[in-house]
Each structure stands twice: as C-alpha cells, then as structure tokens.
Amino acid sequence: MSESVTAPVVGWRRWGAYLALTIVFALACGLLSWWQWSRRAEAVSEIARIEANYDADPRPIAEVLPDDVWDVDAEWTPVVLQGEYLAEDQVLVRNRVRNGSPGFEQLIPLLQDDGTVVIVDRGWLPLGDGEDALPDAVPTPPSGHVEVVARLRPSEPELPGRSAPDGQIPSIHVPTMLDDLDAATYESAYGALVSEDPAPAVAPLAAERPAEDEGPHLSYALQWIAFGVLAFVGLFWAWRRERRIAALPAEEQAAARAPRREHADADVEDAILDRLER
C-alpha cells in the first residue's frame, strides 16, 4: 500500500492576512523613510544658506527685508544697523544653553537713524553663582551713536503658558518685545551681533557659527527602505517553507514545523556515553 501524502496547504486566507500586515508595515517604513528624506532636505537647505550668507558682505536691512517680510533665504545674512541702543528696554532671554551650560541671551532694541527699531541679540551670558539665578554681570552696550553688524535670524514662536520674571522673556518672540515701543519696528526678524563700533570693553559671548552637518538622515532613510523590503523577503521565505512542509507526509509535518532545539553540552556528553556503552 503506498504511503499517503497530504496535499499542500495553501491557506490563502491566512497568508492574505500576513500579506496585508506586511504591506502595512512596508507603508509605515516608506513614510518614515520619506520623513527622514524631508529632514535631510531641510538640513541640506540650511547648510546651503549658511554657505551663501554667513560670510557675505553686510547690506542695509531695508534691502534684505523689504516691508519687514521674512524670507527664509535671508537667514544668516549680515546687515548694517546705524543708530542708538535703547538700553533701558533691554531684556534677557531665559534658558539658553551653550556647550551644555545654561545662561541667557541679551536683547536690546536699536533705534536706527531712519526711525525704525531692530532687536539686536548681543550674545550669551552664563548663569551666575548667586541665588537669584541671573548672570553675575550684564554688560552695558555702547552709548550714543553706534554702527552694528548683525546676522538676521527669524523671530521665534511665542511659548503659550510660559512666564518669566520682569526683565526676562521665555523666547525671542520679537513682537512681544516691541509691543511697548512707539516706533516703526522690524517684527519678523532680529539680528545676532557680529560687531559693534565703537567696540565695548566687555561684551557677551558672540553666537557661534552653526554646524554644517546634515546628520544621519540619509542612512536612516535607506534603513527604513531596507526594512520594508526585508519584510517581503521574510514573508516569501515563510510561505516557501510552509509549502515545502505541506508537501511532506503527514507524520513528518509536525516534526518539520517544530523549532530546532540546540544541543546542550549535557546532550552531547550523553550521546558519547551511549556510543561507548554500545
């Protein structure tokens, strides 16, 4: 009597569910890969702006920001400001970290000769040792007429629910700082100080050049694509294995599906002793 062989188990409903899950997983990987590509594109654009603008010759701010409309391609562009600091309206920006150390940014409005006001970030001040959590000293800006070169930065978003003591603000939200000034103002941007003429004897630490590093986004994007492809490879391998097992005699199918047990040292020793006894 011939040995019976079971027909291959197709299981299309079960494998269809596996395929649907694999497609969902691959789509998720594709979306994550696209997100990493987008972040890389943003980083590459930022690097291009730094290379094009950071070391450019200073220009009048009215030429770079006509009608006070922010253009992202203007970021880091040096501008020339001429006028007088409004030292009585200066504020400190809280929670500014530099090389891992907490501190403040010193912001002072500058009234230009044409009557417009621009916020100037004079630089970073470390947190002092006193109990009041303030800088040990806040440098005084040059008095009288001054010529300032600063690099343009966009106004930061307002932080709802964040409060700050008098003389401090939680973010460089330019409109908030300019609310009380009765003058035409530039609200879309502020200037990160490069130089002052006349130069003061003591000044905050100037802003550091931004890092020109696009980060690991490209490798992450490729990894997510690889994960999506490997999911289909794994599904196909599992389907082929199931087909091969289904083609075996019924009494061999359970053993073929059982996970292979790794031999422990004790099992090896027992096998050697059994052979010696024989």
Side-chain angles (χ1 to χ4, degrees):
M1 186 174 180
S2 61
E3 190 178 49
S4 62
V5 178
T6 59
V9 178
V10 177
W12 291 113
R13 180 175 298 177
R14 176 163 61 98
W15 287 103
Y18 290 160
L19 177 60
L21 289 174
T22 303
I23 291 174
V24 170
F25 175 78
L27 288 174
C29 290
L31 289 173
L32 290 169
S33 176
W34 174 82
W35 176 60
Q36 290 293 344
W37 278 109
S38 299
R39 294 195 63 188
R40 177 180 180 269
E42 293 174 0
V44 170
S45 296
E46 177 66 9
I47 292 172
R49 280 193 293 272
I50 295 171
E51 293 176 346
N53 299 338
Y54 198 86
D55 297 316
D57 294 332
R59 298 157 56 193
I61 188 171
E63 178 183 320
V64 181
L65 288 181
D67 301 321
D68 191 23
V69 177
W70 176 250
D71 181 356
V72 67
D73 290 331
E75 188 169 11
W76 306 113
T77 299
V79 294
V80 178
L81 310 172
Q82 294 182 335
E84 183 177 353
Y85 278 122
L86 303 179
E88 66 277 8
D89 294 310
Q90 71 174 317
V91 296
L92 298 177
V93 190
R94 296 162 53 87
N95 301 321
R96 297 286 150 157
V97 178
R98 183 183 177 113
N99 297 327
S101 299
F104 301 83
E105 298 283 339
Q106 182 188 25
L107 300 184
I108 304 181
L110 187 141
L111 177 61
Q112 295 196 98
D113 296 337
D114 63 2
T116 60
V117 175
V118 181
I119 298 299
V120 176
D121 179 356
R122 296 192 67 230
W124 184 82
L125 299 169
L127 187 68
D129 296 328
E131 296 180 358
D132 54 2
L134 288 171
D136 289 334
V138 178
T140 302
S143 60
H145 193 270
V146 63
E147 180 175 287
V148 170
V149 176
R151 293 188 176 92
L152 290 180
R153 302 298 314 281
S155 175
E156 296 178 359
E158 192 173 12
L159 302 178
R162 292 283 186 90
S163 60
D166 290 341
Q168 299 181 28
I169 55 176
S171 72
I172 308 179
H173 184 247
V174 177
T176 298
M177 188 174 173
L178 296 174
D179 281 343
D180 299 330
L181 295 179
D182 185 17
T185 59
Y186 282 90
E187 296 189 351
S188 66
Y190 67 96
L193 183 67
V194 177
S195 65
E196 294 169 318
D197 185 16
V202 179
L205 292 177
E208 296 178 308
R209 185 185 182 99
E212 299 176 43
D213 181 12
E214 67 181 53
H217 304 301
L218 176 59
S219 62
Y220 288 164
L222 296 176
Q223 287 176 17
W224 282 116
I225 292 174
F227 291 156
V229 172
L230 287 175
F232 285 102
V233 173
L235 178 66
F236 179 74
W237 176 86
W239 178 77
R240 287 289 302 273
R241 178 175 181 271
E242 184 67 21
R243 296 278 295 185
R244 288 196 299 268
I245 292 175
L248 295 174
E251 61 272 13
E252 297 181 15
Q253 291 182 17
R257 290 192 176 94
R260 296 181 179 179
R261 185 171 64 90
E262 295 184 1
H263 294 290
D265 292 341
D267 295 335
V268 175
E269 293 175 358
D270 291 342
I272 294 174
L273 292 175
D274 289 341
R275 286 199 296 270
L276 292 176
E277 290 177 358
R278 296 192 190 117

